[in-house]
Amino acid sequence: MRRTRREFLQSAVTASALAALPAGLFSACTVSSNAARTAGSTALSRSPARQFDTASEIAFPKNFFWGTATAAYQIEGAWKEDGKGESIWDRFSHTPGKIKNGDTGDLACDSYHRWREDIALMRTMNLTSYRFSISWPRIQPNGSGSANSKGVDYYSRLVDALLEAHIRPFVTLYHWDLPQALEDAGGWPNRDTASRFADYVDLVARALGDRISDWILLNEPLAFIYDGYLGGTHAPGRSSILDFLRASHTVNLGQAAGFHALKAVRQSARVGSAFSMSACEPATDSAEDRKAAERCHALTNTWFLEPALKGRYPEAMAFLPETAMQIKPGDLDKMRAPLDFIGINLYYRTIAAAPGAFERVGNAQQWLFPVKMSEGQQGPKAGNGWEVWPLALYDIVTRITRDFNHPHIEITESGCAYSDVQDASGAINDTIRIDYHRQYLHALHQAMADGADVRGYHAWSLLDNFEWAEGFSQRFGLAYVDFKTQQRMIKESGKWYAKVAASNRVAGTLTSERAATSAPQS
Ligand code: FCB
C-alpha cells in the first residue's frame, strides 16, 4: 500500500457497509496462520542511520541490466491519436476533481512523438534495458477484436529502435490503462475481463513477440485493484469492498491466462509480473504484531504471487472470503502460472500492528484483513513524504528468494520524488536522488551477495511524468522535463547513473569524494 495513494488504514469502508452485504457472502475457509515465520527484527530495533556502508565500491555481475521504467499513460500523451480508444485513465483524469491541479495525461511527456529523443537519453545514460508499457486501448480501442495497426506500428518502431540501440525492450502489458469499454462492461470485477486480457496478450505477442524476449504481464496488481476499486483515488474511482475482492480474483485469473496465452505464441519468452512490494515490519515484538506483519506481507506482497506460483491464496490471511471473491471450483489451478521471473517494485517499508477487537468490528477491511499498516517514521522522507529505507529492499529480495525457491528477480522500479529545480546554468543538482539510488543499490548488492539471483535494476523513472492522482506535481525522473516546452534535460542523478551503467559498478562515496576534490580546477 502506497502512502498518499494507498491508505488501507483509513479506508472509508465501515461496518455498516459490511452489514449491508447479503448474508453468506463472506463464507470462508479458515486457514492456519504463519505468524512464527515473521522475518527480521522489530521496527524499533532497526537503525534509521545510513543502513549500508556506501564508502567502498561495489561491482555487479556481468550482463546485469541497467534500466529505467516508464508507463504508457504517464508519458505518451496522444490520448486519441491514430485510432487509440479511451482508457479508464482518460475518463478519470477528464473528470473534474480527480487529479491534482486538474492535470491530465493528454499530452504528458509527448513520448508518442518524442520517443526518438527518449531513446537518445537512454543511450547517453548507457542503459541496457528499458521497461515501458503498451497501452491496451492503442491496440484494442474497445478492449476486444482485432488489432489497431497504427497502435501496433508505434510499438513496433519503438522496439526496433531500442534493439538497434542495444537496449532490451522490457515490456509491460498492463500498466493500469484498461480500455474504458471494458470498464463499462464491469471492469476487473467482471470475470470476463481475464479472458479479454488473454486475447489482448495474444495479439501483442503475435505482433511483437519475434523481437521482445522479456515480458511483464501486470504492473502492481494490488495497487490498481486497491486504489481503483476500494480506495477510489485512482481510475476507475470505485469504492466497494466487493468490487475489490472480485477484481483481485479476476486479476489472478487474468495473470495466468495472459501467461499461457503468451507462452502459446512464444514458448521461449520470459514472462513475469511486477509486484508492488514493501517489507512489513511488526510495530512491536508482541506475538500479535508479528502475526499482523505476516498478514501485511501476504496482502501486500504475495496476494498475486502465491496464486501464480503455488496455486493458492496466502495462508497468513485470517480467512479467505471465497464467496465474495467468486472463487469457483477449479479456479486455484487456473491461477497457476510458473512465472519466469519476479518483478519487484519497491520504494519503502510498512509497519504492521494488530487491530483491537473493537477496531475490527468497526471496519470492514480490518475485519477481512486484520492488520493496521502505516509508514515508517524513522528514516528521512523523500519530497512526496515516502520514507527512504534501503533495508526494505534487502529484506524483501532476500525473503522472496527464500520463500519462492530462489527465483530470478528483476527490480522493476525504485526511485524517489523531489521538487527539482534548474539552477542558473540550467543544471539539476539532485544529489539527494543519487544518494537514494546509491543506498538502494548497496542494499540490493548485499542481497545478491547473500544469494539472491537479481538480473536488473530499473530506476523509476526515465523522465519526470504524470504521477497519477498527483498529476505533474511529483518529479521522479533521472531526466527533467519542462512540461511547457517538452524539453528534456538529464539531471545530475542521470549522469551518475550513466557512470554506474557504463562501469557496472557503484563508486564508493569516499572514492568519488576524493575524485571530486582532486579534480583539476579549470
Ligand atoms: C509505482 C507505479 C509507477 C509510478 C511509481 C512512482 O507504484 O507503478 O507507475 O507511479 O509508483
Side-chain angles (χ1 to χ4, degrees):
M1 296 306 103
R2 185 64 41 82
R3 210 181 137 256
T4 69
R5 358 193 191 114
R6 293 165 208 176
E7 277 306 355
F8 234 95
L9 277 185
Q10 285 151 25
S11 161
V13 184
T14 60
S16 53
L18 248 193
L21 296 171
L25 204 51
F26 289 101
S27 64
C29 72
T30 314
V31 291
S32 62
S33 120
N34 253 344
R37 281 196 301 128
T38 304
S41 52
T42 69
L44 299 174
S45 66
R46 311 200 121 201
S47 161
R50 200 164 275 280
Q51 293 166 337
F52 293 88
D53 178 12
T54 56
S56 47
E57 179 173 280
I58 47 173
F60 283 78
K62 200 166 164 257
N63 298 329
F64 189 81
F65 284 108
W66 293 103
T68 50
T70 61
Y73 189 73
Q74 294 181 276
I75 66 160
E76 283 179 359
W79 75 281
K80 55 174 178 182
E81 222 168 298
D82 288 344
K84 176 182 166 292
E86 188 188 17
S87 81
I88 55 174
W89 271 95
D90 294 318
R91 178 71 61 91
F92 191 71
S93 69
H94 293 155
T95 309
K98 299 295 186 193
I99 313 288
K100 201 170 196 169
N101 304 320
D103 291 341
T104 73
D106 291 2
L107 181 59
C109 307
D110 195 25
S111 210
Y112 191 74
H113 301 110
R114 293 171 189 263
W115 54 273
R116 286 184 193 81
E117 280 175 59
D118 296 340
I119 293 180
L121 288 175
M122 288 184 267
R123 290 186 79 148
T124 309
M125 288 188 212
N126 304 312
L127 302 185
T128 49
S129 179
Y130 179 39
R131 178 181 171 222
F132 64 96
S133 82
I134 292 184
S135 157
W136 186 347
R138 258 190 222 295
I139 305 296
Q140 289 182 306
N142 296 312
S144 58
S146 57
N148 164 35
S149 60
K150 288 194 170 166
V152 171
D153 288 350
Y154 168 68
Y155 294 109
S156 191
R157 283 193 297 270
L158 179 65
V159 167
D160 286 345
L162 286 167
L163 291 172
E164 212 176 295
H166 303 290
I167 298 171
R168 169 182 69 161
F170 193 18
V171 174
T172 310
L173 285 150
Y174 185 74
H175 201 129
W176 304 0
D177 44 359
L178 188 73
Q180 180 64 40
L182 293 185
E183 171 61 18
D184 295 342
W188 284 107
N190 175 3
R191 193 178 165 96
D192 192 46
T193 304
S195 314
R196 298 282 71 74
F197 179 64
D199 290 350
Y200 154 68
V201 171
D202 170 80
L203 281 184
V204 178
R206 284 177 199 283
L208 304 173
D210 56 334
R211 284 156 290 157
I212 297 170
S213 54
D214 299 67
W215 302 83
I216 293 165
L217 294 158
L218 303 170
N219 180 66
E220 300 196 345
L222 183 67
F224 75 77
I225 296 304
Y226 177 77
D227 294 326
Y229 291 96
L230 182 54
T233 54
H234 278 191
R238 295 200 228 166
S239 302
S240 151
I241 192 125
L242 268 188
D243 286 343
F244 167 75
L245 291 169
R246 286 177 186 165
S248 75
H249 189 54
T250 309
V251 166
N252 271 313
L253 293 170
Q255 177 171 250
F259 178 89
H260 296 297
L262 222 159
K263 289 284 187 177
V265 177
R266 291 270 149 194
Q267 188 54 44
S268 60
R270 293 183 69 242
V271 188
S273 268
F275 303 96
S276 46
M277 293 205 179
S278 181
C280 295
E281 299 184 16
T284 73
D285 218 6
S286 73
E288 293 75 23
D289 284 350
R290 284 179 172 273
K291 193 179 203 169
E294 278 312 294
R295 288 183 174 146
C296 168
H297 180 70
L299 184 60
T300 308
N301 302 322
T302 60
W303 190 247
F304 297 88
L305 184 57
E306 277 207 35
L309 295 186
K310 300 188 177 172
R312 62 171 193 233
Y313 278 97
E315 288 191 340
M317 284 302 163
F319 70 96
L320 194 63
E322 287 186 351
T323 317
M325 290 171 74
Q326 297 187 325
I327 300 178
K328 295 190 181 163
D331 275 5
L332 299 191
D333 277 336
K334 285 196 188 134
M335 304 189 304
R336 277 183 189 273
L339 304 177
D340 297 302
F341 64 88
I342 296 174
I344 296 181
N345 293 0
L346 185 135
Y347 292 83
Y348 48 70
R349 66 177 169 157
T350 299
I351 308 300
F358 186 71
E359 285 169 295
R360 275 195 73 185
V361 171
N363 181 309
Q365 187 185 293
Q366 300 266 321
W367 186 71
L368 285 171
F369 307 114
V371 48
K372 290 197 294 181
M373 294 187 258
S374 57
E375 69 271 23
Q377 296 296 349
Q378 294 157 295
K381 298 285 171 80
N384 61 350
W386 294 356
E387 187 193 30
V388 177
W389 200 260
L391 203 48
L393 185 59
Y394 174 84
D395 285 345
I396 267 303
V397 169
T398 49
R399 176 150 190 194
I400 293 296
T401 295
R402 195 171 67 236
D403 291 357
F404 291 91
N405 196 22
H406 208 259
H408 291 179
I409 291 174
E410 296 257 7
I411 304 307
T412 32
E413 283 181 29
S414 188
C416 49
Y418 291 99
S419 37
D420 305 300
V421 280
Q422 291 183 283
D423 69 15
S425 70
I428 294 108
N429 257 308
D430 57 339
T431 46
I432 197 160
R433 182 172 287 108
I434 297 177
D435 211 42
Y436 174 100
H437 285 293
R438 181 191 284 125
Q439 291 186 67
Y440 278 63
L441 283 168
H442 270 268
L444 186 63
H445 188 263
Q446 188 61 49
M448 293 165 75
D450 291 347
D453 189 353
V454 184
R455 304 299 174 99
Y457 180 85
H458 298 79
W460 184 270
S461 178
L462 171 65
L463 303 166
D464 295 337
N465 58 44
F466 177 85
E467 178 47 29
W468 309 113
E470 303 300 324
F472 296 104
S473 69
Q474 297 187 357
R475 293 181 178 272
F476 278 89
L478 295 183
Y480 181 89
V481 177
D482 178 333
F483 292 108
K484 290 201 185 76
T485 61
Q486 288 298 339
Q487 212 193 333
R488 281 98 158 114
M489 153 99 52
I490 297 183
K491 301 178 190 177
E492 285 307 303
S493 58
K495 295 181 188 164
W496 171 84
Y497 199 56
K499 286 189 207 139
V500 171
S503 63
N504 213 20
R505 288 160 191 272
V506 177
T509 39
L510 287 181
T511 334
S512 47
E513 274 156 27
R514 254 202 311 274
T517 46
S518 62
Q521 306 291 309
S522 54

